Amino acid sequence: MAVYRKKKHTLLAYLFFAPFLVLLLIFRLIPFFNSIRMIFYKWDIFGTPKYIGLGNFTRMMSDKVFWASLWHTVYFVILTVPPIVVLSFLIALLINSKIRFKDFLRSAFYLPYTLTISVVCLTWTMLYNPYFGMIGKVMKFFGLKPISWLTDPFWAMPAIVITTVWWTIGFCIVLYLAGLQQIPASYYEAAELDGANGFQKMFFITIPLLKRVHVLVLVTQIIASLQIFGQVYIMTAGGPAGRTRTLMQYIYEQGFRYFRMGYAQAMAFVLFLVMLVFAYLQLRLMIASAKEELV
Amino acid sequence: MKFKRYLLTAFALALALVYLIPLIWMTLASFQSEKDILASKWIPSKWFVENYKIILQRAKLRTWFVNSLISATGATVGILLVCIPAAYAVSRMEFPGRKILYLLSLTGFMIPTQAIAIPLYLLVRKFGLVNNLLGIIIPALPSSMAVFILSQFMKAIPLDYEEAARLDGASELDVMLKVILPMSLPAVVTVTVLHFTWTWNDFFWPLIVMTSDKMYTLPVGLVALAASDVNIRYGPIMAANVLASLPVIAVYIFLQRYLTRGVVLSLR
């Protein structure tokens, strides 16, 4: 009888899991294996795919636009991730300190993150406008010469970075706040009894105990930044003179504008390999936190 | 000490104000005439509601709004329907292969949509779901994030509740729906808020799947509108931005307390 019950139980568990599994297979795993097959083919979507071995990769090697796009992606990550980590940590510390209106402040800093990328980018495009944009007006007020942010080859990428940091920082603040709330107050009290100053408390308690959150924020932001597409597509379309064209923008152009499916997927595969390192770290982190929960 | 606290509060509020300037400007500009905007004004010289009238008369904007609403709601409800039983199975049932299935459910984290966009697009096209809201909804359903958050939460619920219900003759389905699900509400709300806003705000996938402007979602439509229509300039676009932002802000304000709790708990 017990065996029968157990069997029924197992069957039911599989039944509960089945819809998710089937959808996962069809919409994640099969496309993933297809993506690996596609990188060996030349295909313009209309004709039949032609096997070309590593042809897509040799082409990539000599494609200057590919290398420029790869560099712009890395450049974007380098410019975006450090300010996101540092600023979100500092703002979370501020909100978590002994101040009033905490709920309001948390919501205020989270608000931009709830907005769609189009709203964010269209608004910032107008703020950056060299003729009537508010940023130029403020710069003039301080005696600075306004910059034509999005059409200047040097400033276009930093402009996209500023918008991105502003847009995404709220989510990281929430992660840091969650981490800060879990540090027992007794640690600080004990440190105070030993005569620790604020600086020592920060560097010997707060920062080390938030190690997991630092890594989580770092890893998730690197993954997100490597995939940057929308901001570039909306604000500069890759310009001026291709100076903001990131890998995802180039993949989109090759795949969905010129229908070079194999080539575009081969480049997406390179991006995937770069992301894989960080995605693996993220998964490790999540499983580690899951295991801690079981203890 | 008290003075220091006031000073810090004042500093935080000032910082928040500066941080929100782009949104404040967006809202103010939505009430400005083109002349005011081109003259870089903060406060409109006359509150100009025309922008909203112009943008609301656009039949397409309404269509995009409905498209966004259907796809975000559909994806969220679908994710809950598919992921709650899956999370329940891997977190509260004992069966051979449980660990493998749990790890498999997390593989979605390793395969971002952008890495498989092209084969996924070809698959969706094969199913005839291009220019169809189901082309947005169905690929979103197997969410590793949803299974992760839900199963993390469900694992932490003590076995006693479940056993008491079983003694009263509850079936497995009863236990899931009447015992575990109500107790997992913060996790369910977290999954709902995250996936609703993610789908509502997604730009990349709808841009690829929707080729006819009648099928655009709000984010894709707004960008197309700003890029294409010379008659609709700055003011009406900002009005459209305000209108597009209201639903997600409402969802956030309504559910924010649960959200922070859910994030805290899944971080634990």
Side-chain angles (χ1 to χ4, degrees), chain A residues 9 14 26 28 98 103 106-107 114 116 118 123 126 132 134 137 166 169 212 227 248 265 290 293, chain B residues 5 19 23 40-41 95-96 110 114-115 119 123 139 152 172 201 219 234 238 241 252 256-257 267:
Chain A
H9 197 82
Y14 289 145
I26 298 177
R28 292 287 182 285
K98 286 179 180 137
D103 282 350
R106 198 192 51 221
S107 298
T114 62
T116 161
S118 314
T123 303
M126 287 172 69
F132 62 82
M134 285 305 176
K137 198 186 172 190
W166 179 82
I169 209 171
R212 266 244 313 277
Q227 303 182 62
M248 219 40 235
Q265 188 51 49
E293 188 122 319
Chain B
R5 192 174 153 187
Y19 186 73
L23 289 184
S40 314
K41 287 215 166 137
F95 59 94
M110 306 289 283
Q114 304 214 350
L123 194 73
Q152 279 294 90
E172 197 68 45
N201 290 343
Y234 310 114
M238 291 301 116
N241 278 353
Y252 171 69
Q256 55 153 325
R257 281 178 187 282
L267 240 185

Side-chain angles (χ1 to χ4, degrees), chain B residues 7-28:
Chain B
L7 207 67
L8 216 55
T9 306
F11 173 69
L13 289 174
L15 193 68
L17 184 73
V18 171
Y19 186 73
L20 289 178
I21 282 177
L23 289 184
I24 297 167
W25 178 78
M26 175 181 100
T27 315
L28 289 172

Side-chain angles (χ1 to χ4, degrees), chain A residues 269-289:
Chain A
F269 188 71
V270 171
L271 184 63
F272 169 75
L273 287 182
V274 179
M275 281 195 293
L276 193 64
V277 183
F278 301 101
Y280 175 72
L281 283 174
Q282 186 192 21
L283 193 67
R284 277 275 300 273
L285 250 126
M286 292 185 125
I287 292 173
S289 77

